[in-house]
Amino acid sequence: MKIVFALECANIVNNGTGATCLRFAEELRKRGHQVIIIGADILDNKEHPHYVGLKHYHFPVFQPLISKEGFNFAYCEEEKIYQAILGADVVHVFLPFKMENETRLIAEVLGIPVTGAFHLQPQNITSALHIGKSIFLNNVLYYSFKRYMYNQIHHVHCPSAMIANELKEHHYSRLKPWVISNGVSDFFHPVEAIRPLELEGKYIITMTGRLASEKRQDLIIKAIAKSKYNENIQLILCGQGPNKNRLLKLAKKVKLANAPIIEFCKQDKLRDILSYSDLYVHASDFEIEGIGCIEAFACGAVPLISDSKLSATNTFSLDDEHCVFKHGNASDLKDHIEWFYEHPIEKKDLSKKYIAYSKEFGLPIEVERMEKMFLSAIEDKKEGKDTQTLYPRKKDEKKKKRIFKRLLKKGVIKELPPYFE
């Protein structure tokens, strides 16, 4: 198959959705498929085969915040998008934004089936504005995403059962959710990593991911500072984001004995850190899946996970009594950390169980499921089964005509497609 992925932030490897896009594309190519990615330009002066770069779009006022959150928007360069998807068997759009939506519109005119993914919780947006708990605003965003894109796409990839249920609760009744994990590369497995000298004798707690408010790294800092083992614990935060300085200041304020080590790590170093970590804490308020947690326990780090109802990560727990703590509660997290500190044998046994469990999330297994979704979408398109589930907008139909009239005027196409007859 010729498969086209549309994702604006595909050029940012430390963005979870971007990393997923690149991993899936690589695995699909191994299976013999041609995969082209449309995204914002990769500005490194290198050749990137199978990647169609679009000019970066800079938002007035909000661009510094958007950049800090590890995201890019791109201009809808219609000629490039058209050329990229020409002859595709299926187009897969990752996010409900303008570039992805315009790619969908062009594909529909060309008769190419379109599938989607739901990687963005409204809370990811509202929490960046420090209003993540606003039920009203989150519901407005759920409705907007549905109206703008998901009412027009039938087959949608949901990285967890939790988000599939959330879509059902928010009346996404026209789509068919495919619960498919984002998958873990077999690169992540336990290795004989040597701890740096400065970490010898320390009890190492790690968390990976963006340094953002909804990830709640602050909670881990507070919990360790409360612990009677504060002096012996070293926290490592693998990631980057807007909250780095805030977290360092908090560590000093609550008298964390050992300043947290904060850095964005390449995969080799990340695997080493996870392999010699004692615990992996996943404290997020909101999480569609939490692939970093799977990577951690695949390397042998026992996970300690928030029980937040809006986080799918706690479904990975193999021991709810010891591996799940009360959401947002630093004291409860502290108690769980101390239990593991005092029970090394039990922790070692759990580590072995988690390593075995991680095999269920292997990337090849999940990509095979994704292939089935693509083939179902192609079959539905051939038989016209998708039309009864979609809810075309008049705005979209007008926009399609404008796009193709511009392509005609620029000489990209010689005549309007049969779609407009």
Side-chain angles (χ1 to χ4, degrees), residues 207 209-212 215-221 237 247:
M207 181 173 175
R210 286 184 310 113
L211 308 175
K215 300 297 182 183
R216 296 308 306 270
Q217 289 96 346
D218 63 302
L219 197 72
I220 308 173
I221 291 171
L237 299 175
L247 293 170

Side-chain angles (χ1 to χ4, degrees), residues 330-342:
S331 294
D332 191 56
L333 175 55
K334 180 262 299 180
D335 291 342
H336 281 74
I337 290 171
E338 290 181 349
W339 186 89
F340 276 112
Y341 191 101
E342 294 163 0

Side-chain angles (χ1 to χ4, degrees), residues 275-344:
S275 293
Y276 62 63
S277 292
D278 292 286
L279 286 179
Y280 175 86
V281 178
H282 201 88
S284 298
D285 285 340
F286 322 112
E287 199 75 75
I288 280 183
E289 183 177 24
I291 207 71
C293 183
I294 308 175
E295 291 172 348
F297 63 70
C299 292
V302 174
L304 188 46
I305 311 165
S306 161
D307 71 353
S308 171
K309 291 180 181 178
L310 293 175
S311 172
T313 317
N314 49 59
T315 60
F316 302 143
S317 169
L318 298 179
D319 182 343
D320 288 357
E321 182 182 355
H322 299 118
C323 293
V324 178
F325 68 92
K326 292 177 183 175
H327 163 58
N329 190 319
S331 294
D332 191 56
L333 175 55
K334 180 262 299 180
D335 291 342
H336 281 74
I337 290 171
E338 290 181 349
W339 186 89
F340 276 112
Y341 191 101
E342 294 163 0
H343 294 80

Side-chain angles (χ1 to χ4, degrees), residues 115-243:
T115 61
F118 202 95
H119 285 281
L120 183 71
Q121 283 173 286
Q123 291 86 352
N124 294 136
I125 296 172
T126 54
S127 64
L129 302 171
H130 306 291
I131 46 175
K133 294 182 180 179
S134 171
I135 295 172
F136 172 74
L137 287 177
N138 290 325
N139 285 343
V140 167
L141 284 173
Y142 265 119
Y143 176 77
S144 300
F145 293 167
K146 181 176 66 172
R147 280 283 296 160
Y148 187 58
M149 179 176 284
Y150 294 104
N151 265 350
Q152 288 76 247
I153 300 175
H154 183 47
H155 297 275
V156 176
H157 165 212
C158 295
S160 65
M162 182 277 293
I163 199 63
N165 290 333
E166 282 290 299
L167 297 186
K168 186 177 179 181
E169 287 182 15
H170 286 87
H171 311 293
Y172 281 58
S173 55
R174 295 182 180 274
L175 59 79
K176 178 182 178 180
W178 289 72
V179 178
I180 303 168
S181 168
N182 287 325
V184 176
S185 165
D186 57 10
F187 175 85
F188 287 96
H189 62 270
V191 294
E192 292 294 329
I194 300 172
R195 290 188 180 193
L197 287 174
E198 63 270 22
L199 297 182
E200 281 301 318
K202 296 294 184 185
Y203 194 86
I204 297 175
I205 295 176
T206 304
M207 181 173 175
T208 63
R210 286 184 310 113
L211 308 175
S213 300
E214 76 270 20
K215 300 297 182 183
R216 296 308 306 270
Q217 289 96 346
D218 63 302
L219 197 72
I220 308 173
I221 291 171
K222 291 173 185 175
I224 295 172
K226 288 173 179 281
S227 174
K228 56 188 173 185
Y229 302 115
N230 184 8
E231 293 283 343
N232 301 330
I233 296 173
Q234 175 63 60
L235 174 63
I236 302 177
L237 299 175
C238 301
Q240 58 189 18
N243 282 8

Side-chain angles (χ1 to χ4, degrees), residues 2-98:
K2 178 182 176 181
I3 303 164
V4 176
F5 284 173
L7 173 64
E8 306 195 46
C9 61
N11 62 332
I12 304 177
V13 294
N14 67 308
N15 178 293
T17 306
T20 295
C21 172
L22 298 177
R23 276 200 310 269
F24 271 66
E26 184 181 356
E27 188 64 31
L28 283 162
R29 289 186 191 116
K30 287 179 185 176
R31 297 171 72 89
H33 302 291
Q34 179 189 1
V35 184
I36 293 172
I37 300 172
I38 305 172
D41 268 328
I42 301 173
L43 304 175
D44 60 1
N45 298 314
K46 294 180 183 177
E47 288 289 324
H48 293 277
H50 315 299
Y51 189 94
V52 178
L54 308 177
K55 291 178 185 176
H56 290 228
Y57 178 81
H58 294 278
F59 266 96
V61 183
F62 293 105
Q63 189 56 44
L65 176 62
I66 291 166
S67 298
K68 280 183 179 180
E69 289 293 326
F71 198 84
N72 275 142
F73 285 98
Y75 279 99
C76 300
E77 297 185 72
E78 292 157 357
E79 305 99 304
K80 286 186 177 181
I81 295 171
Y82 173 82
Q83 295 291 352
I85 68 176
L86 205 60
D89 293 290
V90 65
V91 169
H92 184 66
V93 293
F94 281 78
L95 295 171
F97 294 136
K98 187 175 181 180

